[in-house]
Each structure stands twice: as C-alpha cells, then as structure tokens.
Amino acid sequence: MGKQETRVEVEIFGEYYILKGNEPEEYLRMLAQYVNKKIRQVITRNPRLGLSKAALLTALNIADELMKLQKEYDELAELLEMDRKAK
C-alpha cells in the first residue's frame, strides 16, 4: 500500500495555501516556513516589490542555493569515488 497523500494549510507572506504531498505534515510546514522566510528576506531588501516579483526572486535565490549545493555534492561524491578506487 502506498503512502497516503498529506494535505496541510500553510501561510506564506499573509496568503493561505493548501499543500498536498506524500511527505509528513511537519515536512510540508517546514518547506512553507522556509519559503516564507526567504520571501520576507527579499521584501526586506526590496520593499517596493510586489508579491509576484518577490516570489520570482525568491524562487531564483532558492534555485541558486540548490545548484550550488548540487555542485558541492557532486564534487564531494567524485572525491569519495576517487578515494574508494585508490584503495
């Protein structure tokens, strides 16, 4: 039997959304809190931005974080593989 879909209502920058996913409610809430924190950081630095532009900049910032972490992970994995082959 597969995982049951989780539904949770979250607030992101004063707007309410229903998130659905196969992860626990706590995880979905954590994601929403992270996005909320990141949007607030963008708005704090750029108070004249509307929500849609702030959301787009937030998405780009999070994508940048992800790409940098993925590159770091790939480099570490390559180092581990080289070390494993050397032994």
Side-chain angles (χ1 to χ4, degrees), residues 3-22:
K3 281 186 173 180
Q4 185 174 351
E5 184 177 75
T6 304
R7 284 177 53 104
V8 61
E9 183 178 31
V10 297
E11 181 182 356
I12 300 173
F13 205 71
E15 300 282 330
Y16 289 90
Y17 301 92
I18 301 292
L19 299 183
K20 298 178 188 177
N22 294 325

